[in-house]
Amino acid sequence: AKEQGKARCVDFQADMHARIVDQLDQERRLKTAIERGELRLHLQPIVETLAGRTEGVEALVRWQDPAAGLRAPGTFLPLAESAGLITDIDRWILRESCLTLRAWQDDDAAGAPDWITVNISAALLDSPDLPDLVTRTLRETGLRPEALVLEVTETTLMRDVAGTAPRLERLRSTGVRIAIDDFGTGYSSLGYLRDIPADVLKIDRSFLEGLVGSDRHRGLLAAVVQLGHTLGLRVVAEGVEDAEQLAELVGLGCRYAQGYHLARPAPVGQLRAAADLVRG
Ligand code: C2E
Ligand code: CA
Ligand code: CA
Ligand code: CA
């Protein structure tokens, strides 16, 4: 029995060891990926529902992995977070987003979106140099501050409302705007909305599930849209997957929509080509 226990212990250690080596190997691969320029910027249209115009776009990161192909953020952002690489990714996306929209607006002032939204991780929000980074990036890329919207998830905001509010106020004083992302997923009290300075409310796509045909679902969504408007926020519904959902949203007075039904995330070249086709 003693021998067996010993063998099991060795097995366990070998297993642990293999897992740690694998983890370190993946971290190293992600780090070199960032250095080698394997990250890609994809954009998803945010559509103004009255005119049907793409008024904004959301920046979404992808990893063009030579071994595994194009990878969605869910497959590498958790690793990036635990390895302390997430702020490097966010900084790259911020800069690339500003450069990309600036070039598009220079090229095609009428056809380009007015603004771009960039996801800000909790770690980047916590870094004291974020306002300087934003100011410097805007200056270096020539994008107007009003054209940049920083998305912070409700969960990130909820960590420390008192500490976060002044930091967001500082960011806003640079002229950029703030969006509350994934609204309604934090299982939180609504009190924080009083204290958090924001401009845009992005309603999580879970609010669209079961919407069509259910008065209860519609009532809840209507209340959330109304809440956003009462607070003076622009309201974006995320995850619009079909025409019925879009019609419901328009009926509720929700002015902005984002989702596969309107457009999937794509590289800027692809979005522009599609827009040119529509315009003829
Ligand atoms: P998110 O910020 O909530 O972004 C929206 C996600 O919903 C995107 O997933 C988008 O592709 C997806 N989506 C859009 N329309 C639909 C739809 O109609 N139906 C469904 N089911 N999904 C839709 P994606 O690109 O895989 O990104 C996942 C998450 O990764 C993002 O969620 C965001 O939290 C994070 N993320 C993406 N890019 C960045 C980044 O540059 N920095 C940081 N910190 N996080 C990022
Ligand atoms: Ca987002
Ligand atoms: Ca979201
Ligand atoms: Ca999300």
Side-chain angles (χ1 to χ4, degrees):
K2 197 176 167 199
E3 282 306 303
Q4 256 179 16
K6 208 170 158 191
R8 231 180 292 147
C9 188
V10 169
D11 274 0
F12 176 73
Q13 282 184 351
D15 190 47
M16 271 291 275
H17 182 74
R19 253 189 284 168
I20 291 170
V21 167
D22 182 55
Q23 170 88 6
L24 287 174
D25 182 53
Q26 289 207 47
E27 284 180 16
R28 191 186 44 73
R29 289 204 333 114
L30 181 55
K31 196 163 190 293
T32 42
I34 298 170
E35 289 161 1
R36 285 188 192 147
E38 290 172 11
L39 297 183
R40 296 288 178 270
L41 171 67
H42 281 205
L43 303 176
Q44 185 177 31
I46 299 175
V47 174
E48 199 282 324
T49 53
L50 297 177
R53 172 173 174 262
T54 296
E55 200 176 294
V57 282
E58 176 170 7
L60 295 163
V61 70
R62 301 288 182 262
W63 173 7
Q64 188 65 61
D65 185 343
L70 192 68
R71 289 173 59 169
T75 71
F76 63 91
L77 286 189
L79 176 69
E81 257 167 52
S82 64
L85 296 169
I86 185 80
T87 56
D88 292 339
I89 294 176
D90 282 351
R91 285 163 199 269
W92 184 83
I93 283 286
L94 175 67
R95 191 181 175 78
E96 194 69 12
S97 296
C98 293
L99 278 173
T100 300
L101 184 57
R102 171 69 208 264
W104 192 351
Q105 290 182 335
D106 276 357
D107 230 49
D108 179 9
D114 299 333
W115 37 272
I116 188 163
T117 78
V118 175
N119 292 288
I120 302 293
S121 62
L124 187 59
L125 188 66
D126 287 345
S127 70
D129 74 329
L130 180 59
D132 288 341
L133 174 74
V134 167
T135 311
R136 199 172 352 109
T137 306
L138 289 168
R139 184 168 12 90
E140 287 170 7
T141 60
L143 187 73
R144 291 174 303 110
E146 311 85 73
L148 182 62
V149 182
L150 304 179
E151 293 197 9
V152 183
T153 67
E154 184 179 58
T155 311
T156 297
L157 294 174
M158 290 302 303
R159 291 177 314 163
D160 170 22
V161 174
T164 304
R167 236 173 294 139
L168 293 180
E169 210 48 89
R170 256 203 83 197
L171 280 169
R172 265 171 124 206
S173 71
T174 70
V176 305
R177 284 174 294 161
I178 306 294
I180 300 174
D181 195 9
D182 297 351
F183 178 75
T185 57
Y187 303 105
S188 53
S189 79
L190 294 173
Y192 79 94
L193 288 173
R194 256 190 327 253
D195 306 313
I196 289 293
D199 307 275
V200 179
L201 191 69
K202 298 192 75 180
I203 303 175
D204 190 72
R205 64 185 166 86
S206 54
F207 283 87
L208 294 191
E209 283 163 17
L211 171 66
V212 176
S214 162
D215 288 343
R216 282 171 65 92
H217 283 71
R218 188 181 307 115
L220 183 60
L221 181 63
V224 173
V225 171
Q226 182 66 46
L227 174 68
H229 288 159
T230 302
L231 293 167
L233 305 172
R234 295 191 202 195
V235 178
V236 180
E238 300 193 279
V240 180
E241 291 185 348
D242 57 52
E244 288 79 9
Q245 289 175 338
L246 183 60
E248 295 274 8
L249 285 164
V250 172
L252 295 176
C254 183
R255 256 193 79 194
Y256 296 92
Q258 176 180 359
Y260 295 162
H261 173 63
L262 296 149
R264 292 195 173 247
V268 63
Q270 231 165 286
L271 274 192
R272 292 189 59 173
D276 288 345
L277 263 179
V278 170
R279 280 194 290 164

